[in-house]
Amino acid sequence: MLWVLGFVLSFCGLFVWLELGTIWPQSGGEKVYLERIYPRPKYLATVIFASNAILLGFTASGCIVRHEAGRWTERGIALGVIAFVTLIHGLTPRAGVYLMNALSFFKIFILLFVVITGWVVLSGKTHIADPHANFRHAFAGSSHKPNDYATATFKVLNAYAGWSNVNYVLNEVRNPIRTLKIAGPLGLGICAVLYLLANVAYFAASTKTEILKSGVTVASLFFGNVFGAHAQKALTVFVALSALGNVLTVTFAQSRVNQELAKEGIPLPFGNRFWASNWPTGKSPLPGLIIHLIPSVIVIIAPPPSVAYPFILDVEGYPGQIINLFIVSGLLYLRYTKPGLRRPFKVWLPFAMFYLAAACFLLIAPFLRPSNRVGDTPPLPYWLYCIVGIAVMVVGILYWFGWRILLPRVFGYQLVPYKEALEDGTVVTLFSRQKVE
C-alpha cells in the first residue's frame, strides 16, 4: 500500500513539476523554480538549494546495493562504481548516454522477468509451498507509528524519484514542453505498474521473515527461492547492473544541476569558470560531475556499512521534502498572484494540496518515536537524518549571509554581477567587488 501511496504522491509531484517546467522550460529543475518564485532576498533560495544539491546530491545508494564481503570491500566496489560513472559521463558523454539508455531498457526487462515469474509462482506450478501465504491476513501486526510510515515512504519515493530528472536537463531536450507532457506521465505510470507487480512477486515467493532478513536486495532473495542458489548468484548480477543504470542516470542529471548552479555565480572554490565549464570535451560538464563525486565518496565511507543504505535514502529524502514544500507552496502562490501567467499545463489544485499535506507529514513524523524505539539505522539515532538534512539547509543560509551580507559590510564593497562567455561557449555569471564610497 505504501508503494501505491508513493505512486500517487509521485504523480501529484510530477504534475506540479510539469506546470512549473512548462512555464520555465530550462535546465536546473528546482533551482529555476525557487529563483523565480522567491527572488528576494536575492540568491538566498539559490544558495540554500545549492547546499542541498552539492552536499546531499550523491548517488551512493545505488553504488552500495549489494556485496557480502567485508566492509572495506563493499566500500571499494562502491567507490569504483561512482568513479567509473564520473569518468564515462565526463570523458565520453555519448558512450555514457548510450550505456545509460541500454541499462534502462535492461532494467525494464528484468522487472518484466520478475513480474512474469511472480505470476507463475502464484499459479502454484513451482516448488514454493504456499505462494498465497503473505496475502492472507496481510495487515496483521502492522505498525501504528507515524515514524515507521514516514521512513518507509522515503525509501519508496526514492525508487520513484526519476520523474523529476528531465526537468534538470531541459536545455538538452528537443521540444521540452511536449516531451515533458508525454514522457513524464508515461514513464512514471510504467514504473508504478512494474514496481507494484514486482512487489506482488516478492511476497508470493518469500515469507515476511525472509524478506525482513534479506536487507536491501529482496530481488536476490526472490531469485534464490524460485531458481535455487546457483541461479541466484548469476541473476544477482542483473540486480547490480540495474543499480548501475540508476547511478548513471542520476549522476547525469545531477551534474547538470551543479553546472547550472556554477553558471549562476554561486561562489565555489577555484572559481566558477572551471565548475561551470564543459571541460575537457566541450560536450559534458566533468567539473559538475566532480562536484557530484565528492559528497558521494564521503557518504560511502562515513556511515557504518550495515546502515549506510537506509541512512543515505533517508538523509536524501528529508531535505528534499523541505524543498518540495517550498516548491508546491510557491506554485499555489503563483496561482494567486499571477493568474494570467502562461501555463501550457495546469495541475489540478487538489493534487497540489495533497502533495503539500504529504510533505508536511513527512517533515514532522520522522521526529516521533518509531515502534521499535531505534528506527532502521541503529546505532545511529532515528532522528539523526532529519537533523543532518536541516543542518545542510542552515549551512546554505549561513553561507549566503556571509557571502551577500557579512563580508561586503565588513570590507566595504558591493557585489556587481556581469556575464562572461567561456571558450566552450558556456555563459557564466561572475561578480566583481566594487568599493563602496
Side-chain angles (χ1 to χ4, degrees), residues 109-281:
F109 170 79
I110 293 301
L111 282 167
L112 286 172
F113 178 74
V114 170
V115 167
I116 294 171
T117 304
W119 289 341
V120 175
V121 172
L122 284 171
S123 73
K125 297 179 180 179
T126 66
H127 65 275
I128 303 298
D130 187 1
H132 301 277
N134 280 323
F135 302 99
R136 292 189 291 270
H137 310 292
F139 293 94
S142 294
S143 170
H144 301 286
K145 297 290 185 178
N147 180 291
D148 297 333
Y149 288 91
T151 54
T153 302
F154 281 132
K155 276 78 167 179
V156 171
L157 291 176
N158 181 270
Y160 284 117
W163 56 262
S164 63
N165 277 4
V166 68
N167 293 66
Y168 300 147
V169 295
L170 283 182
N171 288 352
E172 302 180 39
V173 176
R174 289 191 297 270
N175 198 345
I177 292 177
R178 180 176 181 274
T179 301
L180 270 180
K181 292 166 70 173
I182 296 175
L186 183 63
L188 182 56
I190 291 172
C191 284
V193 171
L194 292 175
Y195 287 167
L196 291 170
L197 293 178
N199 273 278
V200 171
Y202 296 151
F203 282 116
S206 310
T207 66
K208 185 172 76 170
T209 302
E210 288 175 328
I211 291 173
L212 287 171
K213 292 181 179 179
S214 69
V216 174
T217 50
V218 67
S220 177
L221 171 67
F222 173 82
F223 292 142
N225 286 353
V226 176
F227 299 105
H230 294 294
Q232 179 183 13
K233 292 181 179 179
L235 292 171
T236 299
V237 175
F238 295 164
V239 180
L241 289 173
S242 176
L244 175 61
N246 177 65
V247 176
L248 280 161
T249 303
V250 175
T251 300
F252 177 88
Q254 193 64 40
S255 65
R256 270 65 181 175
V257 175
N258 294 337
Q259 184 183 37
E260 290 298 318
L261 290 168
K263 287 162 62 175
E264 194 66 31
I266 303 301
L268 297 171
F270 311 113
N272 289 62
R273 293 179 181 87
F274 173 70
W275 301 114
S277 71
N278 287 308
W279 178 86
T281 64

Side-chain angles (χ1 to χ4, degrees), residues 337-359:
T337 58
K338 298 182 179 180
L341 191 65
R342 180 179 176 272
R343 294 174 170 87
F345 179 90
K346 291 183 70 172
V347 61
W348 190 39
L349 280 181
F351 284 0
M353 297 301 295
F354 179 67
Y355 196 70
L356 177 65

Side-chain angles (χ1 to χ4, degrees), residues 8-94:
V8 173
L9 286 175
S10 298
F11 222 89
C12 292
L14 171 67
F15 283 166
V16 171
W17 264 245
L18 274 175
E19 177 167 329
L20 296 172
T22 53
I23 293 173
W24 300 299
Q26 60 191 84
S27 292
E30 293 91 340
K31 166 196 168 290
V32 175
Y33 314 145
L34 291 169
E35 287 173 351
R36 300 296 180 88
I37 298 170
Y38 305 102
R40 297 288 184 273
K42 196 170 181 62
Y43 293 107
L44 176 59
T46 307
V47 173
I48 293 175
F49 176 76
S51 66
N52 179 70
I54 294 173
L55 298 178
L56 297 181
F58 37 71
T59 50
S61 57
C63 301
I64 59 174
V65 160
R66 184 178 192 273
H67 200 276
E68 296 177 353
R71 59 190 295 175
W72 283 105
T73 303
E74 179 179 321
R75 287 168 170 165
I77 292 173
L79 293 172
V81 169
I82 193 64
F84 165 76
V85 169
T86 299
L87 291 175
I88 194 170
H89 274 321
L91 301 180
T92 57
R94 185 179 294 273

Side-chain angles (χ1 to χ4, degrees), residues 278-300:
N278 287 308
W279 178 86
T281 64
K283 299 178 180 179
S284 180
L286 180 59
L289 289 159
I290 294 172
I291 294 176
H292 179 76
L293 173 68
I294 294 171
S296 297
V297 170
I298 293 172
V299 82
I300 286 169

